[in-house]
Amino acid sequence: MQERSVWGVADSGRLFWCDLARVTAAGLVVLIHVSAKWFENFGRINPFDWQVANVLDSSARMGVPWFFMLSGYLLLGRKPVTFSSYLRRRFARILGPFLFFSALGALVAHAIGPAPASWNPLVDPTYYHLWFFYPLILLYFFAFFVTPVLTNPWIAIGVCYALVAVAGGGLVNLGIGGLGVGAEHTFAYFLYGLIGHYAGRLPADRRTGRIGCLALAGAVIALAVVTSDLSKATGHGNEQLYAYVSVPVATASVAGFIWIRTLGIRMERAVPQSARSFVALGAGYSLAVYGLHAFILALIWRACGGTFLRMGALSGIPTLVTIVGVLSVTAAAAIAWIDKRGLLLGIESSAGRALSPRLLLAAAPSRAG
């Protein structure tokens, strides 16, 4: 298997299922934050619209853990021979976006709010969604020093899943306390990385895909139902089980990752070369979309949030997701066109080259792996 970057768009050894999962994860993250605008209006909008937002938000929660799983799959396998080479190839790709989005977050927070707990990005994220970079940077750093043991991948996934429930505090939500590790969320995200590594070793057959799909559906239904009951009991949109390390979200994340890997591997045989290239292009902008979308959403909602609420959830949420997604990709492409070296967004090739139709048709992802 060829060396490949986690976020770049011009890699020589691409895996279609990784690109598909990364594009899907980016879209799900946008859906999470758009749905939240309806979810947080519990009691102020009609119950049907709120339930639609609840179901969509519950379905999208797996998007964030998928990013850690993908990073774990790509980082915990083959590594450069030296640590300095690893830092240049991998670690440097995440530092630039972290600093760029932290600076952008400080500007947006200063202009329209909300003010962060600290204006020092080394202490606290400057904007709410940027917390993601802190455990991700640690995962990038420690991945070089960790070599997963060779064992049955199902057993390894089961052990890591159980540890996520413990280290992420998920057991506390089930009324099981006293373990003293409920705040160790960073460790839980590293465990997601290990799960991604072992999930990449599972058989990509129909049986595995069906197991993942059924477990995913059950976890999402359970999350939506319990969240609805908690919200009715407390009188507000209760996000307790929406935590990315809660038991239902961890279940949906692991099952969904196994399912989309199996689906992507099977789809690759039938997907045209040009379509694979466009998916690869979108995957290359996934980190940029993650970093930019919250700022764009905040500006749009500040200007005309009430209009979208009046549209209702069934039409308002898909419309706003599309608008925010398109604007995020457009902004990312513009920044990448200016930043030819890809330092700000972690993209290896310039957007000008990546958006070239001729190169899109020629740069088909390989079937490595």
Side-chain angles (χ1 to χ4, degrees):
M1 183 181 297
Q2 301 178 33
E3 184 71 18
R4 56 194 182 278
S5 170
V6 178
W7 300 106
V9 297
D11 306 323
S12 58
R14 304 201 67 92
L15 296 173
F16 176 75
W17 76 265
C18 288
D19 288 337
L20 179 65
R22 194 177 294 115
V23 169
T24 304
L28 291 176
V29 170
V30 176
L31 178 58
I32 287 172
H33 293 137
V34 170
S35 298
K37 299 300 184 181
W38 276 258
F39 184 88
E40 64 192 16
N41 275 286
F42 179 89
R44 294 185 291 272
I45 60 176
N46 70 68
F48 175 78
D49 282 343
W50 186 87
Q51 287 292 359
V52 170
N54 175 36
V55 171
L56 291 176
D57 206 332
S58 298
S59 303
R61 285 281 145 179
M62 60 188 170
V64 171
W66 279 12
F67 279 124
F68 290 96
M69 293 180 192
L70 284 164
S71 296
Y73 172 74
L74 296 173
L75 292 172
L76 293 172
R78 294 183 58 186
K79 306 181 182 73
V81 176
T82 65
F83 185 53
S84 60
S85 175
Y86 176 82
L87 289 178
R88 289 194 302 270
R89 289 190 179 189
R90 305 288 204 189
F91 199 72
R93 286 287 164 190
I94 203 68
L95 287 181
F98 167 67
L99 295 174
F100 173 67
F101 291 128
S102 293
L104 190 57
L107 291 175
V108 175
H110 178 74
I112 65 175
S118 169
W119 293 99
N120 182 356
L122 298 179
V123 177
D124 294 293
T126 57
Y127 218 73
Y128 67 90
H129 70 303
L130 299 180
W131 68 267
F132 165 83
F133 280 93
Y134 295 79
L136 185 65
I137 287 173
L138 291 176
L139 173 59
Y140 266 61
F141 184 82
F142 287 110
F144 181 82
F145 303 100
V146 175
T147 301
V149 298
L150 293 176
T151 187
N152 184 304
W154 285 111
I155 295 176
I157 291 171
V159 171
C160 290
Y161 168 82
L163 289 174
V164 168
V166 175
L171 294 182
V172 175
N173 292 328
L174 299 179
I176 304 173
L179 296 174
V181 291
E184 302 297 331
H185 287 185
T186 296
F187 179 53
Y189 292 116
F190 191 86
L191 289 168
Y192 274 135
L194 283 172
I195 290 173
H197 169 79
Y198 286 111
R201 296 176 53 202
L202 292 174
D205 52 27
R206 291 184 183 274
R207 179 173 176 271
T208 301
R210 287 169 182 163
I211 291 173
C213 185
L214 289 174
L216 168 62
V220 169
I221 292 171
L223 178 58
V225 170
V226 175
T227 297
S228 177
D229 291 342
L230 284 173
S231 298
K232 292 174 182 177
T234 57
H236 63 85
N238 193 313
E239 297 182 338
Q240 179 180 349
L241 291 181
Y242 273 180
Y244 298 119
V245 291
S246 73
V247 170
V249 174
T251 304
S253 300
V254 175
F257 191 79
I258 293 172
W259 168 72
I260 200 167
R261 173 180 174 268
T262 304
L263 176 66
I265 290 174
R266 296 180 65 84
M267 283 179 60
E268 185 178 12
R269 303 165 187 162
V271 173
Q273 174 179 312
S274 57
R276 295 200 304 271
S277 295
F278 276 108
V279 172
L281 175 62
Y285 283 112
S286 58
L287 183 61
V289 169
Y290 183 97
L292 292 169
H293 82 279
F295 308 132
I296 294 172
L297 174 59
L299 294 172
I300 293 175
W301 197 259
R302 182 182 177 87
C304 51
T307 301
F308 284 101
L309 280 179
R310 288 190 292 273
M311 289 176 63
L314 281 179
S315 58
I317 292 178
T319 300
L320 189 53
V321 166
T322 302
I323 293 172
V324 171
V326 170
L327 290 178
S328 297
V329 172
T330 302
I335 295 170
W337 184 80
I338 297 170
D339 176 31
K340 303 297 184 182
R341 298 180 62 186
L343 299 178
L344 299 180
L345 301 179
I347 297 175
E348 291 189 354
S349 65
S350 69
R353 289 182 60 197
L355 291 173
S356 167
R358 183 177 299 176
L359 286 178
L360 282 173
L361 293 174
S366 75
R367 296 178 181 269

